[in-house]
Amino acid sequence: NANIEVKGATSLDFIYMAVAASPDNAALQNKLARQAIGHAIDYDGIIRNLAGGAAVRPTTFLPVGVNGSTEALTKEIGFREDLDRARKLLADAGLPQGFSFQLAYGNAAIAGVPYQSLAQKIQADLARVGIKAELAPMDQVNMRTQYLGGKLNAVLTFWNPPAPENLLWAAATVDRVARRVHWDVPADAPVRKVIAAAAAERDLAKAAELWKQYQQIMVDQANHFVLIQPIYQVAVRKSVAGLQLTAAG
């Protein structure tokens, strides 16, 4: 139909992998080992082959489209596929032969991407540097219950924001989400001070710089790896104007 076209807009939702400093996995307690995971993933391949190209990837827990989060920043400071760097990080962590961990996920799909397909892709990616992801499919309710209780090594899950406000994402990462990955964030931790300053700053450029600092801390901590931020697409008549598909525009 010549009067119909496909329009898309970047959502504020995303699929991420949480990797905990688990008490029962000494390797995951080592930040360098978690960083190695981050550099062993083929992010472009995930977006291209699993999301059909209809996605972007933020640096960390702030989605592309909010102040201080852009695709350019992901390229500047975010994790990217670098197998040599991943192997060096493993060596520096005292794990030159790699290590293993359990990766849990629900029997579900988000934005047309099945968690199982995503888990299998990550498993294959990590195997290239000697990291063995042992896949643990679960029903969604059981998986969420265990994740919220901090009982999983790693999990594939999603985040849907209640409103487009940076503080809602950032505050969660140092409180309830931090507890799920066994990240102890004291009340006087530098990351909390950066979040508070960024949230209070009214100058958007200055706030963006502070949010960049927050994201640099999150990348260094290496507990959360955002994999897919979907671009939602719909078919609409060409006569429709000013369509806003998502809170991101």
Side-chain angles (χ1 to χ4, degrees), residues 56-171:
V56 296
R57 183 172 65 91
T59 304
T60 180
F61 232 71
L62 293 181
V64 171
V66 302
N67 188 35
S69 179
T70 64
E71 291 183 83
L73 186 65
T74 302
K75 293 178 181 179
E76 178 186 347
I77 68 171
F79 284 106
R80 56 188 174 275
E81 183 183 22
D82 186 336
L83 300 187
D84 289 339
R85 187 171 180 181
R87 292 185 182 100
K88 184 179 186 306
L89 284 162
L90 287 172
D92 291 346
L95 300 163
Q97 302 305 314
F99 62 94
S100 63
F101 70 98
Q102 187 180 80
L103 175 58
Y105 55 92
N107 292 314
I110 299 295
V113 179
Y115 283 127
Q116 179 161 323
S117 298
L118 184 55
Q120 290 171 339
K121 168 62 174 166
I122 291 172
Q123 181 185 51
D125 287 348
L126 299 185
R128 297 177 298 174
V129 297
I131 301 173
K132 302 175 183 64
E134 300 166 354
L135 303 189
M138 303 179 180
D139 70 85
Q140 191 73 359
V141 173
N142 184 36
M143 185 278 295
R144 289 289 295 176
T145 299
Q146 291 198 47
Y147 173 47
L148 297 182
K151 297 180 180 179
L152 298 174
N153 284 179
V155 62
L156 291 173
T157 188
F158 66 95
W159 192 270
N160 298 113
E165 168 54 58
N166 286 24
L167 182 59
L168 295 176
W169 286 283

Side-chain angles (χ1 to χ4, degrees), residues 16-22 28-31 34-35 37-38 60-61 79 147 153-155 173 177-185 217-226:
Y16 70 101
M17 179 171 64
V19 179
S22 299
L28 293 182
Q29 294 172 32
N30 189 321
K31 182 173 66 175
R34 299 196 304 272
Q35 290 175 353
I37 290 174
T60 180
F61 232 71
F79 284 106
Y147 173 47
N153 284 179
V155 62
T173 59
V177 177
R179 289 191 292 272
R180 297 169 194 171
V181 295
H182 301 275
W183 179 22
D184 181 25
V185 189
I217 294 170
M218 291 291 291
V219 170
D220 180 69
Q221 180 63 24
N223 285 125
H224 303 96
F225 306 91
V226 179

